[in-house]
């Protein structure tokens, strides 16, 4: 009996150890998996992210009539990256889109959703960004032919993530503020705001070297959505970019990053997607 007790204690300790990630570990996990900052900020060649250039910026992320957006160098290089910024300045840039000089960071960085990131997660991301190798890489400025607002909203106060035990709420947090799945998969209203009545309904086009891909309907609608898909099929699509019918999915979804999403986060994501009102 005593042995069993010890075993139970050992198991309990291992589980807690796995959950008690340091902020640096948490930041590495978020940036390198579900947040996928590198999907925009790491320059890519024909074979994916360029080695040794992680988060060095320079990619034209979007070129449309309204703007030409070039991803910034967010490595700790002091001259061409964000190495001279304080932790607080980086924190504010990520969550509120405001640089140390007061200027606004433009789209398509998903600030509407990043404003909902928990304090602890932004701090973790900042801690990790401090540790990536600095890459000297001067990046041209983006051009915004539309007027940017003075801010994306009032200053954000303190935010905590929902408890992980609440799978739907935690899944919503992952699919929203952390992974910005809903930024791509929700249709836009004419005023450029996400149509929150139709979360996950898809339909936005994305142009790139691959041609045009259209964000899928990821609500539980039968036929048009994921209603007939098994959990394993949804997981395979997210992690490997292979659709239920075996078709290879096109970018810009960050499959390479999503491959390493933790199992419990993947489960929460899928539970959340299944909880959405089905949309046709
Ligand atoms: C959808 C693409 C996209 C994603 C995803 C994205 N960014 Fe950005 N980010 C950009 C673009 C484009 C800019 C430059 C905008 C401009 O020029 O105003 C930028 C600017 C920044 C800046 C300002 C840097 C400077 O020198 O002005 C920081 C800091 C930043 N991003 C951090 C992050 C972090 C951290 C993540 C992940 C949590 C992230 N970004 C995810 C596209 C993205
Ligand atoms: C940058 C935009 C973007 C982001 C972010 C994004 N997706 Fe996608 N997603 C797409 C596009 C576009 C497609 C369709 C690709 C195609 O048809 O080739 C797609 C396809 C899918 C599919 C396959 C559906 C089908 O019918 O084939 C699933 C499931 C999915 N996304 C879930 C997610 C989840 C979950 C997240 C967040 C972890 C996410 N996506 C983030 C753009 C995005």
């Amino acid at each position: 009996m005593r042995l069993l007790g010890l075993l139970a204690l050992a198991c309990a300790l291992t589980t807690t150890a796995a959950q008690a990630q340091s902020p640096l570990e948490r930041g590495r996990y978020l940036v390198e998996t579900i947040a996928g900052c590198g999907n925009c900020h790491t320059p890519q060649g024909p074979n994916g992210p360029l080695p040794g250039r992680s988060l060095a910026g320079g990619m034209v992320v979007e070129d449309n009539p309204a703007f030409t957006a070039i991803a910034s160098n967010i490595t700790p290089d002091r001259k061409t990256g964000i190495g001279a910024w304080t932790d607080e300045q980086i924190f504010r840039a990520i969550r509120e889109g405001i640089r140390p000089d007061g200027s606004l960071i433009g789209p398509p960085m998903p600030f509407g959703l990043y404003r909902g990131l928990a304090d602890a997660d932004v701090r973790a991301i900042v801690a990790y960004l401090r540790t990536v190798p600095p890459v000297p890489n001067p990046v041209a400025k983006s051009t915004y032919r539309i007027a940017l607002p003075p801010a994306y909203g009032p200053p954000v106060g303190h935010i905590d993530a929902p408890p992980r035990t609440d799978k739907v709420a935690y899944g919503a947090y992952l699919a929203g503020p952390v992974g910005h799945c809903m930024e791509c998969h929700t249709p836009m209203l004419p005023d450029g705001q996400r149509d929150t009545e139709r979360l996950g309904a898809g339909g936005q086009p994305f142009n790139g070297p691959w041609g045009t891909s259209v964000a899928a309907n990821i609500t539980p609608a039968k036929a048009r959505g994921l209603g007939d898909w098994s959990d394993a099929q949804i997981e395979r699509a997210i992690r490997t970019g292979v659709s239920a019918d075996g078709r290879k999915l096109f970018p810009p979804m960050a499959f390479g990053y999503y491959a390493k999403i933790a199992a419990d986060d993947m489960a929460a994501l899928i539970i959340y997607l299944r909880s959405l009102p089905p949309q046709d």
Side-chain angles (χ1 to χ4, degrees):
M1 278 323 280
R2 188 174 291 164
L3 185 61
L4 272 182
L6 276 178
L7 274 177
L9 180 66
C11 285
L13 284 176
T14 351
T15 337
T16 339
Q19 280 162 359
Q21 263 174 335
S22 70
L24 177 58
E25 281 309 310
R26 172 76 177 158
R28 182 194 313 276
Y29 170 70
L30 293 174
V31 172
E32 301 298 340
T33 71
I34 184 158
C37 312
N39 200 39
C40 291
H41 282 281
T42 298
Q44 302 201 13
N47 301 318
L50 295 177
R53 312 286 289 171
S54 189
L55 303 176
M59 273 216 307
V60 175
V61 182
E62 215 172 310
D63 192 9
N64 62 36
F67 55 83
T68 304
I70 306 172
S72 318
N73 181 344
I74 57 168
T75 73
D77 184 61
R78 291 187 70 85
K79 280 224 172 73
T80 63
I82 56 172
W85 298 14
T86 65
D87 286 0
E88 283 314 308
Q89 289 172 331
I90 303 175
F91 186 111
R92 189 162 179 237
I94 296 171
R95 195 159 72 179
E96 306 203 16
I98 300 173
R99 293 191 185 86
D101 67 4
S103 64
L104 204 70
I105 303 168
M109 198 161 143
F111 293 108
L113 290 168
Y114 283 177
R115 286 174 63 82
L117 279 169
D119 290 28
D121 283 340
V122 187
R123 250 183 262 119
I125 290 171
V126 173
Y128 175 58
L129 290 180
R130 289 278 188 218
T131 67
V132 306
V135 182
N137 185 34
V139 168
K141 271 198 183 318
S142 308
T143 315
Y144 293 93
R145 290 171 284 274
I146 43 164
L148 296 180
Y152 292 104
V156 178
H158 178 89
I159 300 184
D160 285 319
R164 283 162 184 273
T165 43
D166 184 342
K167 300 274 185 214
V168 173
Y170 196 72
Y173 176 67
L174 293 175
V178 181
H180 68 282
C181 317
M182 292 302 152
E183 182 79 11
C184 291
H185 283 280
T186 301
M188 293 287 172
L189 293 166
D191 66 359
Q193 299 293 311
R194 262 169 301 119
D195 185 353
T196 47
E197 303 279 289
R198 305 188 60 220
L199 272 185
Q204 276 195 74
F206 293 90
N207 302 313
W210 58 87
T212 300
S213 58
V214 178
N217 180 340
I218 55 170
T219 72
K222 295 269 176 202
R224 283 173 190 275
L226 304 178
D228 296 325
W229 293 34
S230 67
D231 287 359
Q233 284 172 320
I234 300 178
E235 175 163 357
R236 184 178 69 160
I238 298 171
R239 287 195 193 281
T240 69
V242 176
S243 190
D245 59 9
R247 182 174 70 91
K248 188 90 191 97
L249 297 166
F250 288 108
M253 204 169 133
F255 308 108
Y257 294 88
Y258 299 162
K260 291 164 284 175
I261 291 176
D264 50 348
D265 282 355
M266 181 59 72
L269 266 177
I270 295 174
I271 289 172
Y272 166 67
L273 293 181
R274 292 210 188 281
S275 79
L276 290 170
Q279 303 283 347
D280 259 323

